[in-house]
Amino acid sequence: MSIGDKIKKEITEIEKRTDISDEQKVSHITHIACATCAGVAIQPIPFADIFVLTPIQAYFASRIAAIRGVPVSESGAIDWIKETMGIVGLGIIAQQIAIGIWKVVTFGLGGLLTIPLVYGLTYAIMKVANAYFSAKARNQKLGDEQITAIWSSAFKEGKKKGLDEEQNIRTRKGG
């Protein structure tokens, strides 16, 4: 299987797969999104993350929308992320500022330590995306309180998963 075929199967056309359930597809896309964003966040450039991570997160949110049968373009997914940011408050912005400051304070050496935060942030976005697009597919709408509750729970769960990923990386590096 070529790399292009693998990317189609695992990411760009995952909604067409019949060998796994929609829940498995969403779980798979969520993990790839989190790992991708955490990997990008390791770069040492302070305050660049939000400009790089948001489009990545929007792309993966659009993949979840496709899995749920809701047509959404990447630009529509960026709008959806902005709407979600407004609902969950300034928490996302504060986290991005914290990541930027951390990279300045550690002179770019703290990138690895951002993994739990970025993994958790992306995990929460993907969980909210799944709930939002699942509801939309049923012609329902989530309330702001529901989105905030999903966000809070998923962010905590995602940070824990991110800590586990960070520990796995450290173990593989021998440190």
Side-chain angles (χ1 to χ4, degrees):
M1 177 181 291
S2 74
I3 291 174
D5 290 340
K6 178 103 172 131
I7 290 170
K8 279 183 181 178
K9 180 181 179 187
E10 300 293 328
I11 301 171
T12 62
E13 295 182 5
I14 193 169
E15 71 276 8
K16 296 178 181 176
R17 289 182 62 180
T18 58
D19 60 321
I20 59 176
S21 71
D22 285 351
E23 295 309 317
Q24 289 170 311
K25 293 172 193 176
V26 169
S27 178
H28 184 73
I29 284 294
T30 297
H31 176 70
I32 292 172
C34 294
T36 300
C37 288
V40 167
I42 292 173
Q43 55 76 23
I45 303 166
F47 303 104
D49 295 305
I50 197 159
F51 301 109
V52 177
L53 296 179
T54 301
I56 294 169
Q57 292 162 339
Y59 175 75
F60 283 106
S62 75
R63 302 312 318 132
I64 290 173
I67 292 165
R68 295 303 180 194
V70 177
V72 173
S73 67
E74 283 181 60
S75 62
I78 287 175
D79 292 340
W80 173 83
I81 286 179
K82 288 177 186 174
E83 178 184 328
T84 301
M85 284 182 184
I87 293 169
V88 297
L90 298 175
I92 295 173
I93 295 168
Q95 290 162 23
Q96 291 299 325
I97 290 169
I99 292 169
I101 290 170
W102 180 251
K103 288 181 179 182
V104 169
V105 170
T106 60
F107 305 105
L109 301 174
L112 190 63
L113 302 176
T114 65
I115 289 173
L117 185 60
V118 173
Y119 196 101
L121 174 66
T122 304
Y123 187 83
I125 290 171
M126 295 304 113
K127 287 293 190 176
V128 170
N130 184 44
Y132 177 88
F133 292 119
S134 292
K136 190 167 184 161
R138 296 186 308 270
N139 292 319
Q140 297 174 341
K141 185 174 173 149
L142 295 178
D144 293 357
E145 299 82 21
Q146 289 172 293
I147 290 173
T148 302
I150 294 165
W151 174 269
S152 293
S153 171
F155 183 61
K156 288 176 191 167
E157 183 181 346
K159 277 196 344 189
K160 183 185 178 325
K161 289 177 179 278
L163 282 168
D164 293 344
E165 289 295 323
E166 177 188 10
Q167 188 59 44
N168 289 338
I169 291 169
R170 288 181 186 281
T171 300
R172 282 188 297 242
K173 283 186 166 188

